[in-house]
Amino acid sequence: MTLEEEKQLRDGLFQATKHGYAVLTSGGSAIDAVEAAVQALEDNPLFNAGKGAVFNKDGFNQLEASVMDGNTGAAGAATLLTVVKNPVSLARKVLESNFHVFLCGPGAE
């Protein structure tokens, strides 16, 4: 890795933490902050998440995410996603649905 590549990665991490910190300082919950920070990573092509995810052996992306509320123990997860832009947001919707915990594949999308 070159020094420039390292700088870009560190900047991407810093931006993600800034997103999460901004949510916390404006009164958002920890799970709001986590979602914002992870969305920033998913939207950054430098990271193996969302837009930057590596291709599987069949030549396409399959994404997943999970979240858990530490206060309640509630959890949500989704996997084998190929269309969803921000898997962390879908995982959160699953968590908040109070019906499912884990969704997979086309039905999850």
Side-chain angles (χ1 to χ4, degrees):
M1 173 183 315
T2 68
L3 289 176
E4 180 57 29
E5 290 169 332
E6 181 179 351
K7 180 187 177 306
Q8 290 175 346
L9 288 170
R10 287 183 181 275
D11 184 55
L13 291 171
F14 180 70
Q15 293 303 318
T17 59
K18 278 179 49 176
H19 280 83
Y21 186 72
V23 170
L24 290 175
T25 58
S26 66
S29 68
I31 201 162
D32 293 334
V34 166
E35 182 179 12
V38 173
Q39 281 179 347
L41 295 173
E42 289 174 339
D43 292 343
N44 187 326
L46 297 177
F47 294 95
N48 184 10
K51 186 181 280 190
V54 297
F55 293 92
N56 66 14
K57 69 178 183 68
D58 295 323
F60 60 93
N61 298 116
Q62 288 179 307
L63 307 175
E64 62 275 332
S66 63
V67 293
M68 177 176 268
D69 184 327
N71 290 322
T72 66
T79 191
L80 298 176
L81 306 172
T82 59
V83 178
V84 173
K85 179 183 176 200
N86 292 106
V88 70
S89 296
L90 177 57
R92 182 173 185 180
K93 286 180 181 169
V94 173
L95 177 150
E96 292 173 345
S97 76
N98 295 319
F99 187 71
H100 297 289
V101 174
F102 195 153
L103 297 178
C104 177
E109 298 187 280

